[in-house]
């Protein structure tokens, strides 16, 4: 899967709300921890994804979409629809 497709898959799962790293990994098929970590850092650098660390109790890290990431929702959903039509799962 290319970097752009992985980024789209990550954004798609975050559109339902904030998730922890392991939750994103479980929802994005065939992605390693290393590759997910790289993509998340790239998306954070572009301010498309935000990383939130809660310091109350055990440290909890969640990833969420700020306004810039949410603005991509129509495009990401359209690409998902296109991919389902042209690349159906076997």
């Amino acid at each position: 899967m290319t970097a752009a497709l992985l980024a789209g898959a990550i954004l798609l799962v975050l559109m339902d709300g904030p998730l922890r790293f392991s939750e994103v990994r479980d929802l994005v098929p065939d992605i390693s921890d290393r590759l997910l970590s790289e993509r998340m850092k790239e998306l954070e650098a572009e301010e498309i994804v935000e990383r939130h660390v809660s310091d109350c109790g055990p440290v909890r890290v969640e990833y969420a979409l700020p306004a810039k990431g949410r603005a991509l929702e129509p495009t990401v959903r359209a690409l998902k629809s296109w991919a389902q039509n042209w690349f159906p799962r076997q």
Side-chain angles (χ1 to χ4, degrees), residues 10-21:
I10 293 166
L11 294 176
L12 192 60
V13 300
L14 287 174
M15 286 178 189
D16 291 331
L19 294 170
R20 297 178 74 176
F21 184 90

Side-chain angles (χ1 to χ4, degrees), residues 43-56:
L43 291 167
E44 284 179 73
E46 295 296 328
E47 298 178 346
I48 295 171
V49 169
E50 290 178 336
R51 183 176 186 263
H52 300 278
V53 180
S54 74
D55 54 358
C56 57

Side-chain angles (χ1 to χ4, degrees), residues 14-79:
L14 287 174
M15 286 178 189
D16 291 331
L19 294 170
R20 297 178 74 176
F21 184 90
S22 60
E23 294 170 324
V24 174
R25 185 194 57 228
D26 292 345
L27 292 169
V28 176
D30 303 320
I31 191 167
S32 67
D33 285 353
R34 183 186 64 78
L35 190 54
L36 177 57
S37 178
E38 288 173 7
R39 293 298 159 260
M40 290 298 243
K41 287 178 185 174
E42 291 169 1
L43 291 167
E44 284 179 73
E46 295 296 328
E47 298 178 346
I48 295 171
V49 169
E50 290 178 336
R51 183 176 186 263
H52 300 278
V53 180
S54 74
D55 54 358
C56 57
V59 174
R60 182 178 174 99
V61 178
E62 288 187 330
Y63 295 88
L65 296 179
K68 187 176 182 180
R70 288 237 162 256
L72 290 168
E73 186 168 0
T75 303
V76 172
R77 293 208 186 274
L79 284 172

